[in-house]
Amino acid sequence: GYKYKKIVNLYMPLKIVLNRLVSKDFAIFKKNQYFGKYYGPWVNLSEVEIIMKYRSLLVGLYNYYSIAKDSFKLKSIRYILI
């Protein structure tokens, strides 16, 4: 007989991730587009500390969604955060 391969594809919910960034004040949604913004609690940190925190946020998102079939969409999140 024939053998069928069962394949599971995982996809990244981009809109959910972007809306989560908006709810956490890392981005704003205006005129059907997402834009990055400053993050208030980090305003008084040094430049190095801010970069390390943003990098940590990006690395965490990349690690979590790296197994998704459409993980290339993370580039748009990187663009918004930088």
Side-chain angles (χ1 to χ4, degrees):
Y2 293 99
K3 291 185 180 181
Y4 294 99
K5 291 183 180 181
K6 294 182 181 183
I7 298 173
V8 175
N9 290 320
L10 300 172
Y11 295 94
M12 188 184 90
L14 183 61
K15 280 210 170 222
I16 292 172
V17 174
L18 290 172
N19 288 334
R20 179 78 172 167
L21 290 175
V22 169
S23 72
K24 294 290 186 181
D25 276 343
F26 283 99
I28 57 173
F29 182 72
K30 184 164 66 172
K31 297 182 182 178
N32 292 329
Q33 285 188 323
Y34 292 90
F35 298 96
K37 63 176 268 191
Y38 75 95
Y39 186 62
W42 296 353
V43 169
N44 294 323
L45 298 177
S46 71
E47 292 173 0
V48 173
E49 289 173 315
I50 292 171
I51 290 169
M52 287 174 54
K53 286 187 178 280
Y54 271 114
R55 184 180 182 283
S56 174
L57 177 67
L58 281 171
V59 167
L61 286 169
Y62 275 99
N63 284 337
Y64 189 80
Y65 290 111
S66 64
I67 63 171
K69 189 171 185 173
D70 57 351
S71 62
F72 62 89
K73 292 180 181 177
L74 286 167
K75 289 181 182 179
S76 63
I77 292 174
R78 181 175 170 257
Y79 173 76
I80 289 168
L81 288 177
I82 291 179

